[in-house]
Amino acid sequence: RQRVRGHSQEQMQQRGDVVKLFVGQIPKTLEEDGVREVFQEFGDIVEIVILRDRRSGIHQGCCFVKYSSVAAAQAAIAALHNQRSLPPLRNPLQVRFAESGTNAGERGQSNSENKLFVGGV
């Protein structure tokens, strides 16, 4: 039985935890299928949302990826955050938990500091 942050994998699956990751530094030409190709090896993807400008609809260079398990999300972060770049961009992907809600403590996050990410400036 595999344990993730004090919870067995079975407990996580029974609770149906969906874990949302923020992903920055993706090429503005990369759409949902391309993002799925990069992230699907780490686990079952529930949803991908490409962030776009509300008025123009222009790709913002970042997205959200939702996994069906905490373990899959942690594997994606470990393998991709500051580790891999997607051409033509040179800066590495930024991959982290998107939410700091009630389950954040289970993932080792705390609200001790607040950060604001501003991408594609």
Side-chain angles (χ1 to χ4, degrees), residues 37-111:
E37 285 180 30
V38 174
F39 285 85
Q40 67 187 357
E41 70 179 274
F42 304 105
D44 189 30
I45 295 174
V46 175
E47 181 183 28
I48 296 171
V49 177
I50 304 289
L51 298 179
R52 299 180 183 280
D53 182 87
R54 288 182 183 176
R55 292 187 181 149
S56 67
I58 295 174
H59 194 304
Q60 295 294 305
C62 50
C63 68
F64 291 110
V65 176
K66 288 185 184 178
Y67 279 108
S68 61
S69 73
V70 173
Q74 288 174 327
I77 291 170
L80 298 174
H81 180 70
N82 278 331
Q83 302 294 317
R84 183 170 170 197
S85 299
L86 299 179
L89 300 181
R90 292 183 183 176
N91 292 334
L93 289 171
Q94 299 298 301
V95 185
R96 57 184 164 267
F97 290 108
E99 301 166 325
S100 57
T102 56
N103 293 332
E106 294 176 8
R107 296 190 300 258
Q109 292 180 313
S110 70
N111 289 331

Side-chain angles (χ1 to χ4, degrees), residues 5-53:
R5 298 270 182 203
H7 298 284
S8 73
Q9 195 171 16
E10 292 167 9
Q11 287 172 323
M12 293 294 205
Q13 289 172 350
Q14 285 173 357
R15 289 187 359 206
D17 287 352
V18 173
V19 183
K20 187 177 186 181
L21 296 181
F22 171 81
V23 182
Q25 298 296 331
I26 62 171
K28 293 183 179 184
T29 56
L30 195 67
E31 295 297 334
E32 184 177 325
D33 290 342
V35 172
R36 187 173 304 277
E37 285 180 30
V38 174
F39 285 85
Q40 67 187 357
E41 70 179 274
F42 304 105
D44 189 30
I45 295 174
V46 175
E47 181 183 28
I48 296 171
V49 177
I50 304 289
L51 298 179
R52 299 180 183 280
D53 182 87

